[in-house]
Amino acid sequence: MFQPDAFIEALYLVLNWNTLMWLTIGVFVGVGLGAIPGLTTSTGVALMLPLTFTLDITGALGLVIGLYKGALFGGSISAISFATPGAPDSAATVFDGYRMTQKGQGRKALLTSLYSSVTADSLSDVLVILIAPMMALAALQFGPAERTWLMVVAIALLGALSGKHVAKGLFAAAIGLYIGTIGSDPMGGASRNTFGLAWLRDGISLVPLIIGLFAMSRMLEQAVELIHESRLGHKVERKMNDLFSNKEDTLTFREYLSNWREMSIGLGVGSFVGMLPGLGATVASFLAYGIAKRLLPHKRLGTGVMGGVAAAESGNNATAGPTLVPLLAFGIPGSATAALIGGALLLQGITPSPRMFELHADVIYALFTILILANLFNLVIGRGFAFFYAKLGGLPKPVLVPTIMVLAVIGSFATQGNPYDVGVMLFFGFVGFFMRRFGIPEAPLIITFLIAPMLEESMRRAVLISGGDWLGGLLNSPLSLILMGLAVLVLVLSYRMRFSERLEAMAHEQDSQGAADDDATR
Amino acid sequence: MQRKPSRRAPAGWWRTNQALGLGIAIAVAVLFAYLWQQDWYHREQRDGFILGFFPGLGLAAMLVTALALTLDRWRHTVVEEIATLDWRDLLWAVVLSAAALSLYALMEPLGMLLPIALFLALMMLLLGLRPWYLAAGLAAAIALIILAVFTLLGIRLPGAFLPLLI
């Protein structure tokens, strides 16, 4: 399976100034985006997608993966500095991180966050490098029927785990399935579902769809909120001085090592959760924090200790690599960010699938190398500039929101130079605004939009092979039956077990316990 | 989000998941009826599938999930964001989207610098940035930075830098 020539080619592609420069820019911008409350990883990657069009494959991957990893760590900076997580992924970090800042240990909290993030991220990347090729090898044995059911399982998981309400997650997935059929028939090429508009014959373009859903919709939402607010933002008590104080203790190597149990829990939980479609970094960080708190009662997590920061941060960062496993092994993105990285690959003319390991082994090795290198860059940039980024969290939203709206307009046009793309972006910006208001998650939409043509092709091939016999075509092997059963089981269990509600309740429990601890301390 | 009490609309039935599901189901049914009447929908392909099968499958999935919203155990739930939503929020979203579209429409005739700077300044003022000269200065500076970066990167832009310049 290992191809030395391709690996050497990948090293040659990655270890040059161009790729390293884009990787540096990606991490640098990513940490900054992560540190600014209201800007999520998806927003950042969505805005950068048009730029990847002008880069070579490794430069594009360096930019996007660097940005992703940087933003994951960056979210903890504002969580620790002033109790406002840059993104939901870092919400669990507030419990101990902000209390450490209040106790005058902000610098230690930030360094704990950085080191545990990088440690868990690096180890989970190694796991990806070991697991993804094996899974891809297995996936290559799948026929069209198995591939169809695998995609159905992924959609069921996405619907079940993406939001608080199963039906809403599945509804978002159904929208993606529908708009994925706009354009032309993937097998015959006949025009369909275009509403008589000639410019829709090529289908909905990925970049304006992504920018609309992940950037414009959020900016519309924030702009509407700002218009309603009587004053500029709400004032958050900030104890920034501690972070910049030279008097404060830094983190010793012994202290870093003392968190090994919390980091291991975060690594295990994050890696597992990352590989499952639909869950994501927020769930991983709350789960890792909750498990560490229960398993290690003597550490008194929630009272402003390093262990809490380490568990939450290693949990969310350990999802970064594994979230790419379903994308690389099966061609099915497991999260919104994986879908965006898949989008970047598609823009470069590479379709993510298990065959990528055969057809583009150099790109796969380059991706693995970039995953590892991004952690080193994250460490260096995070260590050097974390205290500068803490100030970025205070950037006024009235400046930020219109700037991102301008970038969204230019970015959606830039990819193809198509004026209609701006209209598509604005339309989906409005759709995304509605979805967010109604509590409908956007991630299942974008993921099913990406896999819709593959799903259609696999299903039609399976039926075609069996001479038009649906049952014989789609349920032609024990694996097909198992996968179909799994999809049904996921849907039934998700309705009966109220998994998302439990996770939310757990987050509230941590929050209220933390508040109680605060009251007790006072 | 801080709001005046008078702005808060009551959480009536139409804000529940059931109302949302019903509204979506009706819209999807109308869309399905429209597609059904199209000639292309029933055109058979070489593999035996009709051209409208997969768009129809997507709509069927939307319909089933929308109906699930009206019937499942969360049907009476009102999502927090919906409880506080009023028509002015929707109007603002439309106005802001229209403003972004106008920004694009003006880029070609007026060049990019002026519409971007104007859009940024007006938006900053609307969103509460004061004093006005700070908004104007920041808008001009950000517009210049955006254009410089995009030009340096060789990214295709919707218009020239200044009016009448190619």
Side-chain angles (χ1 to χ4, degrees), chain B residues 45-98:
Chain B
Q45 301 297 288
R46 269 182 292 182
D47 58 3
F49 278 85
I50 59 165
L51 203 49
F53 179 80
F54 278 91
L57 191 67
L59 283 179
M62 283 165 75
L63 190 66
V64 169
T65 48
L67 290 175
L69 278 174
T70 65
L71 298 170
D72 68 12
R73 65 161 72 98
W74 295 282
R75 64 186 178 279
H76 298 308
T77 307
V78 178
V79 178
E80 197 182 330
E81 287 83 356
I82 287 295
T84 55
L85 180 81
D86 71 16
W87 62 271
R88 272 167 287 201
D89 294 341
L90 302 178
L91 192 65
W92 273 118
V94 173
V95 168
L96 294 171
S97 300

Side-chain angles (χ1 to χ4, degrees), chain A residues 334-351:
Chain A
S335 66
T337 316
L340 301 185
I341 292 171
L345 285 168
L346 282 171
L347 286 177
Q348 297 286 335
I350 294 171
T351 307

Side-chain angles (χ1 to χ4, degrees), chain A residues 148-378:
Chain A
T148 303
W149 286 116
L150 192 67
M151 283 183 256
V152 174
V153 170
I155 291 173
L157 273 169
L158 278 168
L161 304 175
S162 282
K164 296 171 194 165
H165 193 160
V166 183
K168 286 183 180 172
L170 288 170
F171 175 68
I175 302 177
L177 204 60
Y178 173 71
I179 60 171
T181 65
I182 292 175
S184 53
D185 174 22
M187 291 179 87
S191 171
R192 71 177 180 193
N193 209 11
T194 58
F195 302 93
L197 302 168
W199 58 271
L200 271 179
R201 274 187 193 161
D202 292 332
I204 300 281
S205 302
L206 181 66
V207 172
L209 173 67
I210 285 173
I211 293 180
L213 277 179
F214 290 103
M216 197 63 179
S217 67
R218 285 163 203 215
M219 293 310 111
L220 285 177
E221 194 181 27
Q222 292 196 18
V224 170
E225 279 180 18
L226 281 172
I227 289 168
H228 286 313
E229 278 178 14
S230 52
R231 56 205 162 96
L232 285 183
H234 48 271
K235 287 178 184 171
V236 180
E237 190 192 348
R238 298 177 186 191
K239 290 206 168 187
M240 302 273 287
N241 290 339
D242 295 337
L243 298 172
F244 299 95
S245 163
N246 289 328
K247 291 180 215 160
E248 211 193 332
D249 285 344
T250 188
L251 186 76
T252 63
F253 186 64
R254 188 183 288 272
E255 282 173 324
Y256 159 72
L257 281 184
S258 71
N259 297 319
W260 70 271
R261 289 184 198 86
E262 290 87 340
M263 284 192 282
S264 305
I265 290 169
L267 173 67
V269 171
S271 302
F272 177 70
V273 166
M275 277 188 242
L276 288 178
L279 282 174
T282 310
V283 171
S285 90
F286 275 109
L287 265 182
Y289 185 84
I291 292 171
K293 195 170 180 176
R294 280 188 192 178
L295 291 182
L296 309 166
H298 60 284
K299 289 272 189 132
R300 303 190 66 236
L301 266 58
T303 58
V305 292
M306 285 183 298
V309 177
E313 279 303 303
S314 56
N316 75 27
N317 277 70
T319 60
T323 198
L324 297 178
V325 169
L327 178 76
L328 299 176
F330 307 114
I332 302 168
S335 66
T337 316
L340 301 185
I341 292 171
L345 285 168
L346 282 171
L347 286 177
Q348 297 286 335
I350 294 171
T351 307
S353 73
R355 294 206 69 199
M356 237 181 109
F357 286 82
E358 288 175 351
L359 300 174
H360 304 285
D362 53 341
V363 175
I364 288 282
Y365 290 129
L367 193 149
F368 288 161
T369 314
I370 288 169
L371 278 176
I372 298 287
L373 274 182
N375 297 326
L376 291 176
F377 282 60
N378 208 354

Side-chain angles (χ1 to χ4, degrees), chain A residues 22 51 165 168 171 185 193 225 228 232 398 413-416 419 437-438 456 460 470 495 498 501, chain B residues 1 7 17 20 24 40 45 47 53-54 72-74 79 81-82 89 104 124 128 153 155-156 158:
Chain A
W22 286 113
L51 184 57
H165 193 160
K168 286 183 180 172
F171 175 68
D185 174 22
N193 209 11
E225 279 180 18
H228 286 313
L232 285 183
F413 173 86
T415 317
Q416 299 189 100
R437 283 287 179 165
F438 284 105
E456 181 174 352
R460 284 168 74 167
W470 279 74
Y495 255 100
R498 306 184 196 186
E501 276 185 2
Chain B
M1 187 167 44
R7 289 184 49 77
N17 284 332
L20 169 70
I24 293 171
W40 63 263
Q45 301 297 288
D47 58 3
F53 179 80
F54 278 91
D72 68 12
R73 65 161 72 98
W74 295 282
V79 178
E81 287 83 356
I82 287 295
D89 294 341
Y104 170 75
M124 284 178 198
L153 292 172
I155 290 172
R156 190 170 11 202

Side-chain angles (χ1 to χ4, degrees), chain B residues 28 41 58 60 67 87 93 119 140:
Chain B
V28 171
Y41 192 93
L67 290 175
W87 62 271
F119 175 84

